[in-house]
Amino acid sequence: MDDQIVIKENEVFLVSDGRGDVSAHAGDGQGLYYHDTRFLSLYQLAVEEFEPVVLATAGELNFLTTLQLANSPTVLPDGQPLRARTISVRRNRFLQDGLHERIGFFNYNPFPVTATVRLSFAADFRDMFEVRGYHRRTEHGTFGTPTLHGDELLLPYVGLDGVERCTRIRFGQPPIGLEIVEPDAQLAGPMPTPEFGEEVGEPRTESVVLPSIACALFELALPPRGAAALSVHIRPLLGEDAASPTLAVANVTPAPSLDEAYQAIRESYRLWTEECTAITTDNDVVNHLLAKSQSDLRLLMNQLPTGLLPMAGIPWFSVPFGRDSLITAYATLMLNPGIAYGTLRFLAQHQGREVNDWRDEEPGKILHEIRMGELATSGAVPFGPYYGSIDSTPLFLIVLGELVRWTGDWAFAATLRPAVERALEWIDRYGDVDGDGYVEYRSRSERGIANQGWKDSFDSVCHRDGSLAAPPIALCEVQGYVYAARLLAAELFAGWGEPARAAALREQAAALRAQFERDFWLENEGYYAMALDGAKRPVPSVGSNGGQVLWSGIAAPERAARVAERLLAADLLCGWGIRTLSSEEPTFNPMSYHNGSVWPHDNALVAAGLQRYGQERGALEVASQVYEAGVRFPSYRIPELYCGFVRDRHYQSLPADYPVSCRPQAWAAASIFLLLQQTLGLTTDPANHRVVLRPRLLPGVQTVRLRGLRVLGSSLDLEVRGHDGRVHVEVHSDNAPQVLVQRGEVAVSV
């Protein structure tokens, strides 16, 4: 995916190749997407007189791409030789409710050149579940015939859900002709291998129905040392808009010019930057990683009536997710607490309301994901919305509690009190499937996800003999989430003036901790079991799950040092971070999805856990390794996951790609900020209305600056500097805060 170009703005995103073309036969998710549907599966630029060759690509702005191309050498039809790179072809494009592109030609020759331009389009309207290989159909909706009306080309489709969809293409000038080409079977593309919770089994029958290809022809006369241009506006339409596409477009504001749209979106990015803490260091490479991660987070944000909501990742998961959005919100409190506000509002709005086995829904449960494509709306898959996530509900309570700790915003917390009550009731009533005191999962849906923790692939919870753990499964980290959720909920109820309710929640948390230590601790391993299976047998496989046990605080303090030692051993800590599974386990594979790969967000939570238990050197080592991996990926864009091969320092190895990893991905980008926060030891002490730091610095970094840090109702500027082996903190604020330094800890009143 390194040569792919990804741009997104709100609900529309585009994945193209390095030429700017879309070729669905690549089988890697290329296309123009809206509402979980591919509205453009083919978009190719061709010039009959010469082959355009890419010279440069600029796509750092996430919503806009500029591609500079030039002609290859050839002989024109009139016999005139055309030297290479004498005709410039520039593609400027941006997203705003669709794709808008200007293709400009400039002829540097002293003679005129005629350019016959062919733009080819097709829309397969595939649901994202099809694109990613999760679902193979036996039935399809109906493709309409591509039609050209003046300067407007329509590609229509009616789905099995009865919803009309249409890709509307408007040209700046009418084409001189339109050719309809019956598709090559290759256009369907190889279906990706299932990666996301589906076991590979016997091949299933698939009925492949392909759309016609519409080729619009243009003839441009390029004068000597002169220019000509084409413009294309591609808009996805749904429902009534798709049924009457011309009327739909007539009723909206005309598309802005490229420059107007650029300025408008640039302004939205400027406002985003103003809302975020300005974080810089004295290391330019680290600054590039921080800047790219912040930019990727903006790319993945949807602005909804409930506020900012991060989509999980592109291309496979550009939809609302419970777990992903919540962990992203938690990891970015230091950067922008507005993400947490929007995420919590949205998830509370969509909290489970009924017992629905098809959707794995129960009252009070926080959703797993919401899909909006044809398969979800027709009921072929249970994902509109789907609730098969065992950890989203306790994570919801954790993020709300941590947001209040960070901001002191009790008024906001009060607005979500009904959601808190429902979430706690779900944990007590529905989360414990068999009444053993643990929150566990067992999917009731025919098409649901089998493993419902964050490691949701089918083989992520295995015994050492290779057998899959039988449900109901109680994951160790989930018990930790529930423990932390109850303690943070207790703080909320104490703040609401209900000490008895708070005390009851603390007693529940203490009882869970004692039971957890009894049932999950493996003395021979010096570590916690990954899970208990349906027969209450421990799954002794050693993975990163135990590190997240530290993050939640459920681990007994006297055992934390042994857990930390195990996490930092070479079988888990590979040089690029902590693997999801120990290399000593029989099911280990560094190229697997969850059984030996490295996930940045997982490492950030583990580092936070190490920091929590005073294992500061270990936390710094984990953060350093992930940072060192991050700066080695193209454009400093850290992916969802990467392979867990050992770092070979002798031969200067690089972190290895996981081929279908999402990039950008929200909790991966967010992890960079949580890791930095942990190295600074930055926490809040709301009872005393102060910020506390126990700072260490990443290798190669001597200064970290935070400007406009919004915390506990104040705005702080912090500068952390290393000098002579010691770390110093400078604080600037309009409130002239008191600063207390004691035994390496800096407390700042706010």
Side-chain angles (χ1 to χ4, degrees), residues 146-167:
T147 56
L148 179 66
H149 303 281
D151 63 354
E152 182 176 286
L153 173 63
L154 302 177
L155 308 178
Y157 175 78
V158 180
L160 294 176
D161 55 358
V163 176
E164 296 189 47
R165 295 170 174 85
C166 179
T167 303

Side-chain angles (χ1 to χ4, degrees), residues 418-467:
V420 170
E421 298 276 13
R422 290 193 294 267
L424 288 169
E425 183 180 2
W426 177 85
I427 289 173
D428 292 339
R429 182 175 178 184
Y430 297 101
D432 185 358
V433 173
D434 54 13
D436 66 347
Y438 295 122
V439 170
E440 56 231 330
Y441 61 85
R442 176 172 56 203
S443 178
R444 306 183 311 278
S445 176
E446 295 175 9
R447 294 300 309 276
I449 297 173
N451 280 322
Q452 298 187 352
W454 82 264
K455 297 179 183 178
D456 56 3
S457 51
F458 79 96
D459 60 349
S460 63
V461 187
C462 284
H463 288 282
R464 283 179 169 158
D465 62 2
S467 63

Side-chain angles (χ1 to χ4, degrees), residues 662-745:
C662 285
R663 61 188 81 182
Q665 211 270 357
W667 65 10
S671 70
I672 295 304
F673 299 98
L674 181 55
L675 287 165
L676 182 63
Q677 181 181 339
Q678 297 313 312
T679 65
L680 297 176
L682 176 59
T683 59
T684 60
D685 177 7
N688 296 299
H689 211 68
R690 64 182 190 173
V691 174
V692 179
L693 296 94
R694 294 187 59 84
R696 292 174 179 266
L697 293 170
L698 292 163
V701 173
Q702 290 300 309
T703 304
V704 178
R705 302 178 188 87
L706 307 181
R707 299 285 184 263
L709 177 71
R710 291 182 290 161
V711 59
L712 294 174
S714 297
S715 177
L716 292 178
D717 293 346
L718 302 175
E719 184 169 304
V720 180
R721 298 193 316 274
H723 181 68
D724 293 336
R726 304 183 65 182
V727 179
H728 307 267
V729 178
E730 285 188 8
V731 184
H732 303 279
S733 171
D734 294 339
N735 300 329
Q738 293 183 334
V739 180
L740 176 65
V741 180
Q742 185 176 2
R743 288 187 228 144
E745 181 176 284

Side-chain angles (χ1 to χ4, degrees), residues 73-129:
T74 189
V75 176
L76 297 173
D78 62 3
Q80 174 72 49
L82 184 68
R83 291 188 297 118
R85 297 178 299 283
T86 55
I87 295 180
S88 164
V89 182
R90 178 170 291 186
R91 306 179 73 171
N92 297 107
R93 59 171 51 155
F94 67 91
L95 294 179
Q96 191 174 72
D97 298 323
L99 172 62
H100 308 276
E101 178 162 350
R102 180 172 60 204
I103 307 171
F105 294 77
F106 195 95
N107 178 18
Y108 287 94
N109 290 288
F111 51 83
V113 174
T114 297
T116 306
V117 180
R118 176 187 297 265
L119 297 177
S120 300
F121 305 91
D124 63 7
F125 296 98
R126 284 199 168 202
D127 188 285
M128 182 56 83
F129 278 111

Side-chain angles (χ1 to χ4, degrees), residues 314-612:
I314 293 176
W316 315 114
F317 302 113
S318 188
V319 293
F321 269 74
R323 177 193 305 119
D324 295 55
S325 297
L326 286 164
I327 290 178
T328 299
Y330 169 79
T332 53
L333 287 173
M334 180 179 76
L335 177 71
N336 188 343
I339 299 171
Y341 281 102
T343 297
L344 290 166
R345 286 193 199 99
F346 179 88
L347 293 175
Q349 190 178 87
H350 293 85
Q351 199 168 15
R353 299 185 182 278
E354 64 182 15
V355 174
N356 185 313
D357 288 353
W358 172 243
R359 294 200 299 260
D360 276 333
E361 179 183 4
E362 290 146 343
K365 197 174 186 182
I366 298 298
L367 62 83
H368 176 260
E369 65 182 296
I370 300 179
R371 294 285 175 172
M372 294 161 281
E374 180 184 350
L375 292 175
T377 56
S378 67
V381 295
F383 288 82
Y386 178 63
Y387 290 83
S389 169
I390 195 60
D391 47 17
S392 293
T393 308
L395 285 170
F396 176 88
L397 295 168
I398 289 172
V399 173
L400 177 58
E402 292 290 353
L403 178 64
V404 173
R405 280 185 172 182
W406 188 266
T407 64
D409 193 344
W410 284 93
F412 174 73
T415 67
L416 292 186
R417 176 165 177 162
V420 170
E421 298 276 13
R422 290 193 294 267
L424 288 169
E425 183 180 2
W426 177 85
I427 289 173
D428 292 339
R429 182 175 178 184
Y430 297 101
D432 185 358
V433 173
D434 54 13
D436 66 347
Y438 295 122
V439 170
E440 56 231 330
Y441 61 85
R442 176 172 56 203
S443 178
R444 306 183 311 278
S445 176
E446 295 175 9
R447 294 300 309 276
I449 297 173
N451 280 322
Q452 298 187 352
W454 82 264
K455 297 179 183 178
D456 56 3
S457 51
F458 79 96
D459 60 349
S460 63
V461 187
C462 284
H463 288 282
R464 283 179 169 158
D465 62 2
S467 63
L468 302 180
I473 296 172
L475 293 168
C476 65
E477 71 270 23
V478 171
Q479 313 320 308
Y481 298 169
V482 173
Y483 171 83
R486 284 175 172 155
L487 290 181
L488 286 163
E491 290 185 15
L492 292 175
F493 281 101
W496 289 330
E498 296 189 36
R501 183 74 183 277
L505 285 164
R506 292 190 187 100
E507 288 176 8
Q508 279 187 292
L512 175 60
R513 187 184 211 183
Q515 183 180 352
F516 177 80
E517 289 293 339
R518 181 194 70 205
D519 295 340
F520 277 81
W521 180 251
L522 303 174
E523 181 62 31
N524 291 340
E525 296 285 352
Y527 206 65
Y528 292 100
M530 180 180 290
L532 300 182
D533 68 9
K536 308 307 167 189
R537 294 185 304 155
V539 178
S541 302
V542 173
S544 60
N545 310 62
Q548 292 201 23
V549 167
L550 298 183
W551 172 64
S552 65
I554 195 174
E558 63 271 18
R559 287 172 171 167
R562 292 184 69 186
V563 173
E565 182 181 5
R566 193 71 188 83
L567 284 165
L568 300 174
D571 60 316
L572 281 172
L573 190 64
C574 70
W576 301 119
I578 291 176
R579 296 167 168 141
T580 47
L581 190 68
S582 163
S583 60
E584 296 177 355
E585 295 295 339
T587 55
F588 169 76
N589 178 354
M591 299 173 286
S592 70
Y593 196 51
H594 286 131
N595 290 332
S597 54
V598 177
W599 290 65
H601 88 278
D602 183 33
N603 276 257
L605 295 178
V606 171
L610 291 166
Q611 183 80 17
R612 178 177 194 140

